Amino acid sequence: MDQDFLDILQQHTAGNPMNSSIRWTYLKPREIVSELLKKGYSVSRNIVRYLLKKHEYVKRKAQKNITMGGHPDRNAQFENITQLKQDYLDAGNPVISMDTKKKELLGTFYRNGSLYTQAAIQTNDHDFPSSATGSVIPHGFYDLKRNTGYITLGTSHDTSEFACDSLFQWWVNEGIIHYPKAKSLLILCDGGGSNSSRHYIFKEDLQKTANALGLEIRIAHYPPYTSKYNPIEHRFFPHVTRACEGVVFDSVETVKTLISRTSTSKGLTTIVHILDKIYETGRKYAADFKEIMPIVFDTHLPKWNYRAIPKE
């Protein structure tokens, strides 16, 4: 039966052309049972599962680990970020990781995950945006030293102004309390989205924020295709996702309550703030901003490293 089992899998097996040791079958246990029955074997699904395990077919999910591109300065920027983090932590200045989670529709929409309930949760059979009562955009910060997450829930658009307003809210509500003697703030972030390294509108809004806070803000962007290394992506956001599994996002207040529960046994805590403000899309930076901007670019990899120094 072992050989017949392997013959069946051989006819219904795919693999990785770059690695012959990695292969998978698209047959389900019940389908393998049917194929074995045709060969004269009457077996249960448990026997099939045993045979699969015996021949090292284990149920796994695909992993997003293949880098789609690279950059010649990738390693240099990683080394730079490592040094910057150490310098800021040694000086007692905050190091914050920043990013935006996926926009969520508000309404009776299905969400992955299961819950203990006394009755089934009913949701729409289609996720049409036109049926939504609104949307919510979770913009997050993760404090590397304090192991604390802070999320601003926007209800409009994910713009550079929203990102900088979220930063302002984090500093006045949390940052200045825990870092009253801070001289500078280091923010680690991706190179796209509302905090794009290529767009001057983000730099203009960042400068306005630095002026308003009276605090130097240093930005260090991760190179292209390396956003998964941003600490917030693996130290905070996965826990936020788990805290919200299976629950219907029927209002912004519900989302706030759920995300506020995000915690871990290692001490992660989460604070959530709602920012109900309308943001304009397609804004342009001031005509003379590039010529007079006070943004200071580093001599080393300036496209990814720069400072917004508050005006006196």
Side-chain angles (χ1 to χ4, degrees):
M1 183 174 69
D2 242 27
Q3 188 56 51
D4 285 335
F5 169 80
L6 290 174
D7 288 344
I8 290 169
L9 260 60
Q10 183 67 34
Q11 298 170 26
H12 301 277
T13 291
N16 185 340
M18 304 301 293
N19 188 343
S20 60
S21 67
I22 300 176
R23 60 197 186 281
W24 59 88
T25 180
Y26 45 82
L27 291 179
K28 295 180 173 56
R30 60 177 175 79
E31 294 172 323
I32 298 175
V33 168
S34 298
E35 292 297 322
L36 284 171
L37 187 61
K38 295 176 184 178
K39 293 181 177 288
Y41 300 102
S42 181
V43 297
S44 67
R45 295 184 193 179
N46 285 338
I47 294 297
V48 168
R49 292 189 183 97
Y50 164 77
L51 291 171
L52 286 166
K53 186 175 181 180
K54 176 183 177 181
H55 295 285
E56 300 182 346
Y57 283 86
V58 180
K59 198 170 187 179
R60 297 183 175 94
K61 286 186 177 180
Q63 299 179 356
K64 294 183 179 181
N65 288 330
I66 300 175
T67 302
M68 294 181 63
H71 195 282
D73 294 324
R74 179 184 185 275
N75 289 341
Q77 178 63 353
F78 270 91
E79 291 172 0
N80 183 55
I81 288 175
T82 298
Q83 187 60 55
L84 283 173
K85 285 194 296 185
Q86 193 59 55
D87 291 345
Y88 269 69
L89 291 173
D90 289 346
N93 287 323
V95 179
I96 304 299
S97 176
M98 176 175 79
D99 199 7
T100 306
K101 274 181 69 64
K102 181 176 71 73
K103 177 180 178 180
E104 299 278 0
L105 296 176
L106 298 178
T108 51
F109 298 108
Y110 173 82
R111 301 188 70 257
N112 286 329
S114 56
L115 300 168
Y116 287 102
T117 67
Q118 293 182 318
I121 298 174
Q122 304 296 327
T123 61
N124 298 343
D125 58 354
H126 288 83
D127 294 340
F128 294 132
S130 58
S131 301
T133 58
S135 63
V136 62
I137 303 165
H139 188 281
F141 295 94
Y142 174 71
D143 187 329
L144 274 67
K145 180 180 180 180
R146 299 183 58 249
N147 190 27
T148 301
Y150 186 94
I151 286 200
T152 301
L153 298 177
T155 57
S156 179
H157 301 284
D158 184 21
T159 65
S160 63
E161 187 181 6
F162 170 57
C164 290
D165 281 353
S166 300
L167 172 60
F168 183 91
Q169 292 293 334
W170 171 80
W171 179 253
V172 298
N173 291 323
E174 288 292 310
I176 197 171
I177 296 173
H178 300 288
Y179 301 97
K181 297 181 180 180
K183 303 298 183 183
S184 183
L185 164 66
L186 172 62
I187 297 180
L188 311 176
C189 56
D190 302 341
S194 56
N195 48 248
S196 173
S197 60
R198 302 182 304 276
H199 296 163
Y200 282 94
I201 187 65
F202 172 63
K203 296 176 177 65
E204 183 179 44
D205 288 337
L206 187 72
Q207 183 64 54
K208 292 177 183 177
T209 305
N211 295 341
L213 296 177
L215 177 71
E216 178 185 277
I217 303 173
R218 172 180 277 280
I219 297 293
H221 292 282
Y222 280 89
Y225 307 106
T226 63
S227 61
K228 66 180 179 180
Y229 293 101
N230 195 356
I232 196 171
E233 291 285 355
H234 51 271
R235 297 189 191 178
F236 182 43
F237 279 170
H239 303 299
V240 173
T241 299
R242 281 193 287 273
C244 300
E245 282 183 337
V247 182
V248 175
F249 283 177
D250 56 5
S251 68
V252 180
E253 288 71 21
T254 296
V255 179
K256 178 181 179 181
T257 299
L258 292 170
I259 294 180
S260 297
R261 296 168 47 230
T262 304
S263 62
T264 66
S265 59
K266 294 186 177 180
L268 174 68
T269 56
T270 305
I271 297 168
V272 185
H273 174 80
I274 297 175
L275 187 55
D276 194 11
K277 177 181 175 180
I278 303 299
Y279 290 97
E280 176 189 352
T281 58
R283 284 176 55 236
K284 304 294 183 183
Y285 57 85
D288 59 347
F289 177 72
K290 288 178 67 174
E291 288 72 29
I292 65 171
M293 68 175 175
I295 295 288
V296 178
F297 292 88
D298 289 8
T299 54
H300 180 56
L301 302 175
K303 59 187 173 183
W304 294 332
N305 303 281
Y306 48 88
R307 293 174 293 150
I309 301 174
K311 291 184 178 179
E312 297 277 333

